Amino acid sequence: MRKLFWCVAALLCVCNTVLAHTDFGERPKLVVGIVVDQMRWDYLSRYYDQFQDNGLKRLITKGYSCDNCLINYVPTVTAIGHTSAYTGTTPALHGICGNDFYIDDDPVYCCGDKSVEPVGTDNRKRGCMSPRNLLSTTIGDQIRLHTDFKSKVVGVSYKDRAAILPAGRSSDHAYWLDIDNGQFMTSTFYRTELPEWAKAVNQELKKNKELQKVGKDVGLYPLCGHITTDMAIAALKGEQLGKGDVTDMLCVSYSQTDVIGHKYSTRGEHTDEAYLELDKDIARLLNALDEQVGEGNYLLFLTADHGGAHNFQFMIDHKMNGGAWNIDEDVLNDKLDACLKEKFGAAVDRSIINGLLGYRVYLNHGKIKALGLDLEDVKETLVEYFSKVPHVQFVMDFEKVNTWSVPDVIRSRALLGYHPHRSGDLLLVLEAGFYDYGKWSSPIGTTHSAWNPYDAHIPLLFYGWKVEHGSTGREVHITDIAPTITQMLHIQQPNACIGEPIPEVVK
């Protein structure tokens, strides 16, 4: 009897081992990543009763929701958010430190690349783009590596950075909209000519009377989302994604929600319309995926690159804390010049600062050296100056952040957002509800970039292949998306990944 018991136990172990090994060969036909630009987490509940059954509500009621997904770095902006979701890491390691930033005193646009040419239009300003500043691999890069580059990875968005950075460095397909002529484009980093299916989309756009009417302002209308969905579906069908022997990937980003948010903030008919129309676009994309790949054959996630603050006047009108200041007028002003001259002499003024981006102060190290100034003295002087600017709660020297008397959550996010050659020198942390509206938002609109929950708490939904319905309120991070997806695919994580697979999703 005892021998029989051990024989059965051994047999069960062998069976379990075989089943475990069999799982390594199972993968979905397609991975789909959807990023909704500037989507606050609470929009899922705010509009839930108005969503149709087959759009966002389908992802909520049939998928898995991580209700406490946080961005774990600063600043919270578009280029960084897209990159972090797909790489599983933060600016400290993937190197995309903003939409715009400086690399050793040289101004850089995150995707700018003068070594490439535009394809699809002749607009060099909008077309000389590539992922050359990206230092780490993405989910798509890892899929391509695992399949000896047989997989196809496609990025589609209104914004160049929202198509390019998710698709990664090894993709042959990233397409964004040239708003100057209403055509989708790419660059020679990827190919020398648009594929026929993309040309067909552009031909239809030329006939689109609504697009002709709104022109360059297309981002302010739900039409932008409709066009993005059309392009994504065209890519799905044109490239036969999910039809081959290996797993493909489609990366789609909706940008109109961000443009509308900056203009009109988090409340009102424009924002309401944006999210209800987005819901229809999501439903249309899901239907196309069902038709092309088959429900249950694709693995999908939906998240945001950042959230957005309520408009400061809206908060004040309702007796809550909030306010706005303009960096150029209220911070980098004549008072700063006077402070520097008093400390260092008449030859020194605010020109020793390259800029203030994402609440980070970028010093001009070359000029400081040429003037014979001590960098530490300059930083200490500026820390003292900025600390006295109204509504600045903390000022931190990145190189000394570990010794600064600030809450651990802020210190941690500052460190994870800091790249020594790309993130500047000082970080300003404002009081809750205060933000800069000088460049990226209107007086009735909003913006983002801060550590606070309104900017850092984002939706995260998983749906489809091997995903069981459920939810968790446990804290997870935007950097956990990539390791979750790659573990489900049984492939290696992106090469600078610091996130952890979400066990509630990976079962």
Side-chain angles (χ1 to χ4, degrees):
M1 191 68 178
R2 182 175 294 179
K3 288 182 179 180
L4 178 62
F5 171 80
W6 286 113
C7 286
V8 171
L11 181 61
L12 288 173
C13 288
V14 170
C15 289
N16 287 336
T17 301
V18 171
L19 288 173
H21 282 296
T22 301
D23 287 343
F24 277 90
E26 289 189 88
R27 294 185 184 88
K29 290 290 187 179
L30 180 68
V31 177
V32 182
I34 300 175
V35 177
V36 182
D37 206 321
Q38 204 183 123
M39 185 176 186
R40 293 165 54 107
W41 172 76
D42 58 350
Y43 286 160
L44 291 178
S45 59
R46 178 173 175 79
Y47 297 110
Y48 181 82
D49 291 339
Q50 299 176 69
F51 289 149
Q52 59 182 320
D53 290 338
N54 201 39
L56 285 161
K57 188 176 287 187
R58 174 178 170 185
L59 302 183
I60 297 168
T61 59
K62 293 186 177 181
Y64 195 91
S65 178
C66 297
D67 295 335
N68 193 23
C69 182
L70 302 176
I71 294 174
N72 52 345
Y73 54 79
V74 287
T76 48
V77 298
T78 295
I80 304 177
H82 282 80
T83 307
S84 298
Y86 283 88
T87 63
T89 192
T90 68
L93 297 173
H94 63 54
I96 300 300
C97 295
N99 299 334
D100 298 277
F101 50 98
Y102 289 82
I103 300 179
D104 296 331
D105 287 342
D106 293 325
V108 170
Y109 174 64
C110 59
C111 293
D113 187 351
K114 294 180 180 179
S115 71
V116 301
E117 297 294 327
V119 174
T121 79
D122 59 0
N123 191 335
R124 288 184 56 81
K125 178 182 177 181
R126 301 194 185 279
C128 294
M129 302 289 171
S130 83
R132 71 179 185 128
N133 290 315
L134 177 60
L135 302 180
S136 62
T137 60
T138 62
I139 299 169
D141 289 330
Q142 295 303 135
I143 292 174
R144 297 260 293 159
L145 281 164
H146 194 83
T147 62
D148 292 328
F149 302 95
K150 296 174 184 175
S151 296
K152 293 181 179 179
V153 177
V154 181
V156 173
S157 183
Y158 161 86
K159 294 181 180 180
D160 54 71
R161 55 188 179 269
I164 291 169
L165 297 170
R169 296 185 67 110
S170 70
S171 172
D172 293 327
H173 299 274
Y175 305 97
W176 56 95
L177 192 67
D178 177 0
I179 61 172
D180 291 337
N181 63 16
Q183 299 282 281
F184 277 99
M185 67 189 311
T186 188
S187 78
T188 52
F189 180 89
Y190 302 98
R191 53 183 56 245
T192 57
E193 186 177 3
L194 290 178
E196 292 303 316
W197 60 262
K199 292 179 181 179
V201 171
N202 280 342
Q203 286 300 314
E204 290 300 313
L205 289 177
K206 289 180 180 179
K207 305 173 190 175
N208 191 310
K209 293 183 179 179
E210 187 180 359
L211 179 58
Q212 294 171 9
K213 181 180 178 180
V214 301
K216 294 181 180 181
D217 291 329
V218 61
L220 283 170
Y221 298 89
L223 172 64
C224 180
H226 306 337
I227 291 171
T228 301
T229 305
D230 290 342
M231 187 64 173
I233 293 173
L236 176 70
K237 296 178 178 180
E239 294 299 327
Q240 291 291 287
L241 300 179
K243 291 289 191 180
D245 297 328
V246 294
T247 301
D248 296 320
M249 186 167 194
L250 175 63
C251 312
V252 185
S253 179
Y254 289 99
S255 305
Q256 73 280 1
T257 45
D258 182 70
V259 183
I260 290 168
H262 281 297
K263 179 74 173 179
Y264 298 110
S265 190
T266 60
R267 293 290 186 267
E269 60 180 327
H270 296 285
T271 303
D272 294 347
E273 181 188 28
Y275 281 93
L276 297 181
E277 288 297 312
L278 169 70
D279 182 49
K280 296 175 184 177
D281 284 321
I282 296 294
R284 193 155 60 92
L285 179 59
L286 290 174
N287 288 337
L289 290 166
D290 291 345
E291 178 183 330
Q292 179 75 8
V293 187
E295 186 174 6
N297 290 329
Y298 58 90
L299 172 60
L300 180 148
F301 69 85
L302 181 146
T303 191
D305 53 349
H306 54 76
H310 290 309
N311 174 263
F312 70 90
Q313 192 59 54
F314 170 84
M315 296 293 281
I316 292 170
D317 291 344
H318 290 82
K319 302 179 181 179
M320 286 180 272
N321 197 47
W325 44 272
N326 185 304
I327 285 173
D328 293 327
E329 295 177 5
D330 300 335
V331 185
L332 305 180
N333 54 28
D334 292 341
K335 290 182 180 178
L336 175 58
D337 282 347
C339 171
L340 292 171
K341 289 179 184 299
E342 180 180 355
K343 174 70 175 180
F344 299 109
V348 182
D349 58 21
R350 75 188 98 166
S351 65
I352 65 169
I353 298 175
N354 282 323
L356 208 164
L357 304 173
Y359 305 112
R360 298 162 303 178
V361 180
Y362 285 83
L363 298 181
N364 188 322
H365 288 237
K367 187 161 189 176
I368 289 171
K369 184 177 181 180
L371 288 168
L373 303 178
D374 181 84
L375 179 61
E376 293 304 313
D377 284 348
V378 171
K379 288 196 289 186
E380 288 176 8
T381 300
L382 290 173
V383 165
E384 183 178 355
Y385 170 81
F386 288 123
S387 296
K388 296 176 182 177
V389 172
H391 310 298
V392 173
Q393 197 161 14
F394 303 106
V395 184
M396 292 181 284
D397 180 342
F398 274 119
E399 292 188 345
K400 299 177 181 177
V401 69
N402 268 325
T403 62
W404 231 256
S405 297
V406 296
D408 288 341
V409 63
I410 296 176
R411 179 184 297 105
S412 173
R413 294 183 190 188
L415 285 170
L416 288 172
Y418 175 63
H419 186 288
H421 298 287
R422 301 183 175 196
S423 294
D425 301 88
L426 308 177
L427 174 68
L428 310 186
V429 178
L430 307 187
E431 295 173 4
F434 284 80
Y435 58 81
D436 168 45
Y437 80 96
K439 184 177 181 181
W440 294 112
S441 65
S442 70
I444 62 170
T446 189
T447 191
H448 48 85
S449 286
W451 72 272
N452 307 73
Y454 45 75
D455 285 350
H457 189 188
I458 56 174
L460 177 55
L461 302 170
F462 293 91
Y463 172 82
W465 185 82
K466 298 287 187 181
V467 176
E468 297 179 4
H469 173 58
S471 66
T472 179
R474 184 176 63 82
E475 181 176 323
V476 302
H477 302 119
I478 191 172
T479 49
D480 296 334
I481 297 171
T484 299
I485 296 296
T486 52
Q487 181 158 324
M488 293 181 75
L489 298 182
H490 307 297
I491 65 175
Q492 188 57 270
Q493 298 174 354
N495 62 10
C497 182
I498 63 169
E500 297 182 0
I502 300 170
E504 296 90 340
V505 179
V506 180
K507 294 183 177 179

